[in-house]
Amino acid sequence: PHHLCAIKAGGGGQRPSTDVLTTEYLNGAAIKAVERFRAYASYAEAFKDYANLLSANPRYAHVLNERVDAGAFARGLQQAGYATDPNYADKLTRVITGAIMRSGLGG
């Protein structure tokens, strides 16, 4: 399914989707829930849709201006409501700035 960016499917059913057991946070409490996420034929397709989501949705406009500081980008996504996990920004920052990402990018 290549649902790497975990974009929820929403209504309409205009694109392929898949049900996934996930952890959502409601009033600070972690709960397990089955949610419908967009599914893609490839990682390239998933990243393209992620970029389209961020650029087309006004609530993420300020986040796209952050091009240098990965932590600020992650905090901006969290503040804009991208994820319910209260630790989302910290987790994303660790991935972006981690050794595996640096190695994969040749740095």
Side-chain angles (χ1 to χ4, degrees), residues 7-20:
I7 301 173
K8 289 191 176 167
Q14 64 274 24
R15 68 177 69 238
S17 61
T18 186
D19 290 337
V20 177

Side-chain angles (χ1 to χ4, degrees), residues 25 33 57 89:
Y25 290 81
N57 191 320

Side-chain angles (χ1 to χ4, degrees), residues 4 6 8-9 12-13 15 27 34 40 53 57 59 63 67 75 77 79 84 87-88 90 93 98 101 107:
L4 186 64
K8 289 191 176 167
R15 68 177 69 238
N27 299 321
V34 175
Y40 306 94
L53 173 75
N57 191 320
R59 77 180 187 180
V63 179
R67 299 177 183 184
R75 286 188 300 278
L77 283 179
Q79 290 166 355
T84 63
N87 297 308
Y88 175 78
D90 292 335
T93 301
M101 181 70 80

Side-chain angles (χ1 to χ4, degrees), residues 83-99:
T84 63
D85 183 343
N87 297 308
Y88 175 78
D90 292 335
K91 291 174 182 178
L92 182 58
T93 301
R94 283 195 304 272
V95 170
I96 293 170
T97 61

